[in-house]
Amino acid sequence: MSNTHWDPVRYGLFGDERRRPAIDLISRLPKPADGFKPRQIVDLGCGPGSITALLDQAYRTQDNADTQIIGVDSSDEMLQTARKRAENIDWQQADIATWEPNSPVDIIFSNAALHWVPEHVKLFPRLTGFLRPGGLLAIQVPNNFLAPSHQLIGEAGNEWRDAVAEAIGQIRIMRPGDYFDVLSTDCDAIDLWQTQYCHVLRGEDPVFTWTSSTVLRPVLTALPDDTARAAFCQKYKTRLKQVYPPRDDGITLFPFNRLFMIARKRNA
């Protein structure tokens, strides 16, 4: 992810929709009012910082004012946006795959970022190793890779199948049971669940606009030239409109699946 370039403006076009899973994940975590007062919280893949700010609001309360909030991302563009926030947050540039904290952490949080990092069977034990005993790993990853919005990428890119397959292959997650098995080695409380959101989108080619700021980025980069990119986008937009047609009121409904997990590190 270290060489990945992101467009914070384009990514933020669906800010409310992208924040909602994070809000749902934060709502399931214990808070200072419950007696859980973390000293250090890390948001891995913090992007433009909007979710990190929500963590700050949830945990840096009057009786928990010393909590350190850290936002980590590999993208210069995203961190430039994040650093414009007034919140007292420590923004750090690092690749999640190699990031290490300076000291044990109470919460490692990640919203829609870890699917860009390979080898979760190694990554997740590595992350839980950075937690204090009783610390929490709180993760949300997209689980929409079998949906038409993603499957049609391969269809539209059939002419460049090798390049497209390699680009899509960078993005992967495991099955819920696999995460349970990996986490159960170090954790004694594991909560896994899936949610399907039905996003209400507006505008021209809204599903394309959504995917173009995320999953399409490595695909478009992998195509050989602008002519190929234009041809691919036209094919992909046409098929998306057939599968996700706009309603008479101009709204396009976009179902989207996400996988959540909260795991508590076992006390020594």
Side-chain angles (χ1 to χ4, degrees), residues 14 24 39 73 98 110 117 125 129-130 133 141 163 182 186 200 229 236 244 248 258 262:
F14 301 103
D24 291 347
R39 287 168 285 178
D73 206 278
T98 56
S110 185
V117 185
F130 297 144
V141 288
V182 167
D186 297 318
V200 178
R229 281 185 277 274
Y236 183 52
Y244 302 100
D248 292 341
R258 295 185 181 273
I262 297 175

Side-chain angles (χ1 to χ4, degrees), residues 21-216:
I23 292 170
D24 291 347
L25 182 58
I26 293 171
S27 73
R28 298 280 283 267
L29 292 171
K31 306 296 187 306
D34 306 316
F36 183 70
K37 298 181 179 181
R39 287 168 285 178
Q40 189 175 79
I41 300 171
V42 178
D43 181 11
L44 289 180
C46 65
S50 56
I51 307 305
T52 323
L54 295 177
L55 287 166
D56 181 80
Q57 293 168 18
Y59 285 98
R60 204 178 343 239
T61 60
Q62 185 173 357
D63 61 346
N64 199 48
D66 293 333
T67 297
Q68 182 185 21
I69 311 291
I70 300 171
V72 177
D73 206 278
S74 63
S75 167
D76 286 327
E77 297 90 343
M78 288 293 196
L79 288 174
Q80 286 173 15
T81 299
R83 290 188 176 111
K84 296 176 183 178
R85 298 183 176 276
E87 291 86 0
N88 184 25
I89 295 170
D90 181 10
W91 305 107
Q92 299 179 4
Q93 186 170 16
D95 189 328
I96 294 173
T98 56
W99 168 84
E100 294 185 11
N102 293 326
S103 59
V105 177
D106 295 287
I107 299 177
I108 294 178
F109 183 96
S110 185
N111 180 69
L114 294 191
H115 57 296
W116 295 101
V117 185
E119 297 189 276
H120 284 192
V121 72
K122 296 180 180 178
L123 174 68
F124 275 63
R126 185 172 182 273
L127 295 179
T128 56
F130 297 144
L131 291 170
R132 300 180 190 277
L136 299 173
L137 186 68
I139 306 296
Q140 181 272 122
V141 288
N143 193 18
N144 217 44
F145 304 110
L146 297 179
S149 58
H150 290 62
Q151 293 296 302
L152 290 174
I153 294 172
E155 178 184 315
N158 186 58
E159 185 176 343
W160 312 275
R161 64 172 65 88
D162 291 342
V164 170
E166 183 177 354
I168 294 176
Q170 299 176 30
I171 311 165
R172 61 180 65 237
I173 66 170
M174 302 190 300
R175 297 174 298 181
D178 294 330
Y179 285 111
F180 187 92
D181 291 341
V182 167
L183 292 168
S184 62
T185 300
D186 297 318
C187 300
D188 59 7
I190 302 168
D191 187 10
L192 286 164
W193 73 96
Q194 298 188 73
T195 299
Q196 183 179 85
Y197 297 88
C198 191
H199 296 306
V200 178
L201 307 183
R202 294 174 173 84
E204 187 72 17
D205 299 311
V207 178
F208 175 84
T209 301
W210 179 292
T211 60
S212 67
S213 66
T214 54
V215 69
L216 275 192

